[in-house]
Amino acid sequence: MSAEKVLAAMKAAGEPMSAGQIAEAAGIDRKEVDKAMKVLKNEEKIVSPKRCYWEPK
């Protein structure tokens, strides 16, 4: 699933990323990133240190 790719891309970056940056780093469509991030937010695996940027917990 794309949620694992999104989380892996975020961990590899080592800094907070926007959804667009995650899509580019993971090589997947922005809409897929948005869906995956919704799942990750619900599972409390990612947090937002500042508006529109996300990082793994």
Side-chain angles (χ1 to χ4, degrees):
M1 189 182 165
S2 56
E4 288 85 19
K5 277 187 178 181
V6 168
L7 196 55
M10 293 172 83
K11 286 181 179 178
E15 63 183 14
M17 301 173 76
S18 68
Q21 291 171 321
I22 296 166
E24 191 174 311
I28 54 178
D29 188 65
R30 169 69 192 264
K31 289 181 182 179
E32 289 300 314
V33 170
D34 290 337
K35 288 178 191 175
M37 286 177 64
K38 185 175 181 182
V39 170
L40 292 169
K41 281 186 271 189
N42 289 339
E43 293 175 356
E44 296 182 3
K45 292 186 178 179
I46 61 174
V47 293
S48 180
K50 60 183 179 177
R51 190 168 186 259
C52 297
Y53 282 81
W54 296 88
E55 65 184 5
K57 252 188 175 174

